[in-house]
């Protein structure tokens, strides 16, 4: 493709916005906010990706999916780069992505509620038995309780709705 | 990406990085031993996810250690092809899992140190260290929140759970101290501004631990005796069994991939 014109970066972003996350397929990699940058280095497309959690087992699959998608779109040379800093945060999840999560049955992150390791606040919170309010993605009730800090994947916690009684995943703020 | 090399003894930096990576590797392996065996499904999943975070952090620390060493060893080579005497994890993380309470107590005592350490490392003069810490500290905050919560609930629980948590605390206590004792490698990286002096972390660690133990109605042992050696490669017999299990495949079938 030496003489062909390279696809525009807007086009590349659009393609990537159609690549689903392997574990939460209603979200695209762009919705999730893990594609940090796309750029041309001569005729090589450089895609910079940040991991969600350090040990996320989907990282390898995500890289493969990106490469496969771009190859299928006619980009022959793709280079994936990992960027750790700044670390991924759920703040980067698009509004559209959050709505897709809710519709899928996963409560989206409640901003500014990430664990911060401050023990005083923690002990008080535990002593008072209160917790952050996570609305049930099925019935919308705010009467829910945390079952476990970690749900089906590291990025989610397990919750239970006290109104409709359904268990559900909550995408933790980080 | 060019990184300005900080004036520090390469061997001391390698030592520091393997201490960080070996702590998370060995604890991650220990915690993963629970997979399929935890008392309830939710805790089984939580333990597996904690292990996964720790193993992921290991890849970052040992990956950087291999780069700094410059002998062509990557994170896998360091994890699977070193012998016990080359491991630099503290003795606490190689303690046997025991019952669920002992596993949680070990996790809590480690998480409290880990969170304080990683918070300090986010200000490291070495940007490669700072960026790994900035990533890991967010995960460690969730680990600490979970282990604190469960130590409080079980400590301030039934007579049986209280007694078990007190026993676990008594058993684990003397293995924590070595995390706060500096040697030449610690002093070298501290002087270069790469990592804090280990002793400087103690007041904050004590504040977290004493507060959680108070809520948990548990009493910290008064004995000042400290088991040490892990950070310089002198381990308990338990590490050998962990490595035999963890390294078997790569030792028996060198270079095996799937
Ligand atoms: Zn509901």
């Amino acid at each position: 493709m030496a003489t062909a014109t390279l696809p525009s970066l807007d086009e590349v972003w659009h393609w990537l916005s159609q690549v689903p996350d392997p574990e939460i397929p209603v979200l695209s990699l762009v919705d999730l906010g893990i594609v940090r940058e796309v750029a041309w280095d001569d005729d090589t497309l450089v895609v910079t990706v940040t991991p969600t959690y350090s040990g996320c087992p989907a990282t390898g699959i995500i890289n493969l999916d990106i490469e496969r998608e771009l190859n299928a779109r006619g980009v022959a040379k793709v280079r994936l780069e990992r960027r750790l800093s700044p670390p991924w945060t759920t703040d980067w999840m698009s509004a559209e992505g959050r709505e897709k999560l809710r519709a899928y049955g996963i409560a989206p992150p409640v901003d500014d509620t990430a664990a911060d390791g401050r023990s005083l606040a923690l002990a008080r919170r535990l002593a008072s038995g209160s917790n952050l309010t996570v609305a049930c993605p099925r019935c919308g009730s705010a009467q829910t309780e945390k079952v476990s800090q970690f749900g089906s994947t590291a990025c989610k916690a397990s919750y239970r709705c006290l109104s409709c009684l359904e268990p559900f995943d909550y995408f933790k703020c980080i | 990406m060019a990184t300005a090399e900080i004036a520090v003894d390469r061997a001391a930096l390698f030592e520091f990085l393997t201490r960080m990576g070996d702590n998370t590797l060995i604890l991650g392996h220990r915690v993963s031993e629970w997979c399929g065996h935890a008392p309830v499904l939710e805790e089984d999943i939580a333990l597996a996810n904690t292990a996964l975070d720790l193993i992921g952090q290991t890849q970052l620390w040992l990956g950087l250690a291999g780069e700094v060493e410059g002998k062509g060893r990557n994170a896998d080579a360091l994890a699977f092809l070193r012998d016990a005497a080359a491991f630099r994890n503290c003795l606490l993380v190689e303690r046997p899992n025991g019952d669920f309470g002992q596993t949680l107590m070990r996790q809590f005592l480690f998480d409290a140190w880990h969170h304080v350490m990683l918070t300090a490392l986010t200000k490291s003069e070495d940007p490669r260290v700072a960026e790994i810490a900035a990533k890991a500290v967010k995960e460690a905050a969730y680990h600490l929140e979970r282990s604190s919560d469960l130590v409080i609930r079980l400590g301030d629980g039934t007579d049986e759970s209280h007694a078990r948590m007190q026993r676990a605390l008594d058993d684990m206590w003397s293995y924590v101290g070595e995390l706060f004792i500096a040697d030449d490698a610690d002093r070298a990286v501290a002087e270069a501004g790469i990592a804090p002096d280990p002793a400087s972390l103690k007041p904050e660690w004590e504040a977290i631990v004493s507060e959680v133990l108070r809520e948990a109605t548990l009493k910290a042992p008064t004995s000042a005796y400290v088991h040490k050696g892990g950070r310089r490669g002198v381990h308990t017999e338990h590490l050998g069994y962990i490595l035999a299990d963890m390294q078997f495949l790569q030792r028996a079938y060198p270079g095996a991939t799937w």
Side-chain angles (χ1 to χ4, degrees):
Chain A
M1 57 180 277
T3 54
T5 38
L6 300 171
S8 75
L9 293 178
D10 282 348
E11 209 164 355
V12 172
W13 276 108
H14 177 68
W15 294 337
L16 293 176
S17 74
Q18 292 169 17
V19 181
D21 174 75
E23 283 182 350
I24 310 172
V26 285
L27 288 186
S28 78
L29 301 181
V30 174
D31 288 329
L32 206 49
I34 59 173
V35 180
R36 301 313 299 156
E37 196 181 337
V38 294
W40 287 105
D41 175 8
D42 199 18
D43 62 346
T44 300
L45 184 57
V46 184
V47 182
T48 306
V49 180
T50 196
T52 52
Y53 282 68
S54 302
C56 179
T59 308
I61 307 289
I62 287 170
N63 287 353
L64 269 177
D65 287 349
I66 291 175
E67 209 166 346
R68 193 181 306 127
E69 174 72 16
L70 294 173
N71 288 160
R73 302 282 190 173
V75 182
K77 294 186 198 167
V78 177
R79 186 170 80 235
L80 284 144
E81 288 189 353
R82 183 190 74 185
R83 183 183 293 168
L84 282 186
S85 182
W88 181 76
T89 160
T90 39
D91 296 349
W92 294 343
M93 195 185 289
S94 66
E96 199 189 342
R98 287 162 197 253
E99 206 32 61
K100 286 189 209 166
L101 267 187
R102 200 193 318 273
Y104 189 59
I106 298 174
V110 177
D111 285 343
D112 301 319
T113 58
D116 57 10
R118 280 183 302 134
S119 64
L120 199 74
L122 171 71
R124 271 197 212 109
R125 202 154 71 234
L126 296 173
S128 69
S130 70
N131 216 323
L132 73 143
T133 304
V134 175
C136 171
R138 294 170 207 281
C139 74
S141 167
Q143 304 299 309
T144 62
E145 64 177 8
K146 184 168 80 185
V147 177
S148 174
Q149 185 70 268
F150 293 88
S152 54
T153 60
C155 56
K156 289 174 257 153
S158 286
Y159 271 71
R160 178 189 298 132
C161 177
L162 299 176
S163 299
C164 74
L165 305 179
E166 283 290 326
F168 65 91
D169 270 344
Y170 162 58
F171 204 111
K172 281 179 290 190
C173 181
I174 193 166
Chain B
M1 185 165 48
T3 310
E5 198 72 36
I6 292 164
V8 66
D9 180 25
R10 193 177 282 258
L13 181 53
F14 178 76
E15 187 77 10
F16 163 74
L17 294 167
T18 50
R19 285 171 178 176
M20 291 303 294
D22 289 345
N23 278 341
T24 50
L25 175 60
I26 300 303
L27 185 58
H29 187 85
R30 267 290 187 235
V31 174
S32 76
E33 291 171 3
W34 275 101
C35 192
H37 301 278
V40 291
L41 180 62
E42 286 78 6
E43 289 309 322
D44 199 292
I45 292 169
L47 286 163
N49 275 308
T50 304
L52 210 51
D53 281 346
L54 293 169
I55 303 292
Q57 294 169 13
T58 302
Q59 283 178 326
L60 301 175
W61 290 123
L62 293 187
L64 180 55
E67 253 176 60
V68 166
E69 187 191 39
K71 291 182 184 164
R73 292 200 285 183
N74 61 14
D76 282 346
L78 289 170
F80 295 128
L81 302 175
R82 279 180 302 156
D83 292 329
F87 272 77
R88 293 294 182 263
N89 58 280
C90 62
L91 300 177
L92 176 68
V93 297
E94 66 195 51
R95 297 307 296 153
N97 281 341
D99 62 18
F100 184 65
Q102 276 168 310
T103 288
L104 272 176
M105 185 57 78
R106 181 187 62 200
Q107 189 71 37
F108 166 64
L109 296 172
F110 178 82
D111 289 343
W113 170 82
H114 201 205
H115 190 267
V116 174
M117 176 58 139
L118 291 171
T119 302
L121 290 177
T122 59
K123 299 178 193 81
S124 173
E125 292 289 339
D126 188 326
R128 300 168 302 179
V129 170
E131 74 174 14
I132 295 174
K135 179 89 196 146
V137 73
K138 298 184 350 150
E139 295 160 0
Y142 272 113
H143 300 170
L144 177 58
E145 195 166 301
R146 170 174 173 273
S147 59
S148 303
D149 180 12
L150 288 172
V151 163
I152 292 171
R153 284 205 267 164
L154 291 172
D156 188 17
T158 64
D159 289 346
E160 173 74 12
S161 73
H162 175 85
R164 287 200 192 204
M165 293 310 279
Q166 185 62 54
R167 208 179 312 141
L169 180 60
D170 294 345
D171 285 351
M172 300 286 174
W173 191 252
S174 60
Y175 291 93
V176 181
E178 75 169 323
L179 286 165
F180 303 110
I181 301 172
D183 66 5
D184 287 345
D186 293 311
R187 281 185 280 273
V189 289
E191 263 164 45
I194 293 171
D197 174 344
S200 70
L201 306 175
K202 202 164 186 193
E204 209 175 326
W205 179 85
E206 278 175 341
I208 295 172
V209 169
S210 63
E211 194 170 323
V212 170
L213 294 185
R214 188 170 56 243
E215 292 287 335
T217 70
L218 297 172
K219 282 191 174 53
T222 48
S223 161
Y225 182 75
V226 174
H227 285 279
K228 48 184 181 288
R231 299 178 76 246
R232 56 186 162 88
V234 181
H235 292 278
T236 60
E237 70 274 24
H238 304 296
L239 183 66
Y241 291 97
I242 297 175
L243 297 186
D245 185 12
M246 187 177 81
Q247 298 183 333
F248 172 79
L249 192 85
Q250 284 302 325
R251 299 285 195 169
Y253 304 95
T257 57
W258 63 86

